[in-house]
Amino acid sequence: MAKVPAAAVAASGLIGGYGVARWTKKRQLGGAVLAIAGAAAAQQWQRAAGGRAAGALTAGYVAAFAGSHPLAKKVGAWPAVFGVAGAVALASWVVADRRA
């Protein structure tokens, strides 16, 4: 079975977490999606690039989630989510995925 890149897992967690929270109107479910995908991506980052890189990418993932909120006030919710998901995916690819 082909391995899903951590970049895709992380971006999907941000996009999917927001989508689930919005469509179900249950923020906790969106948070669960966000957390599960983040943990899966962090595990892949650890294996591919080591602990320091995994820690930095995980911090970036959390910062992207937090940063999407004020960004959404300027550009809209979906553009903000797609923007931060793209940034996290790019960082993941540069730091970990292209090595794997």
Side-chain angles (χ1 to χ4, degrees), residues 10-67:
S12 296
L14 289 161
I15 295 166
Y18 175 68
V20 166
R22 181 173 176 150
W23 290 315
T24 65
K25 301 200 184 331
K26 297 194 185 312
R27 293 177 65 178
Q28 300 88 343
L29 286 177
V33 170
L34 181 79
I36 291 167
Q43 197 171 44
Q44 286 183 263
W45 293 328
Q46 168 74 31
R47 281 194 297 264
R52 291 181 84 167
L57 288 166
T58 301
Y61 182 79
V62 173
F65 166 69

Side-chain angles (χ1 to χ4, degrees), residues 5-19 34 41 45 57 60-69 71 77-93 97:
V9 173
S12 296
L14 289 161
I15 295 166
Y18 175 68
L34 181 79
W45 293 328
L57 288 166
Y61 182 79
V62 173
F65 166 69
S68 69
H69 292 81
L71 182 60
W78 280 112
V81 171
F82 285 130
V84 299
V88 167
L90 179 61
S92 176
W93 181 81
D97 290 339

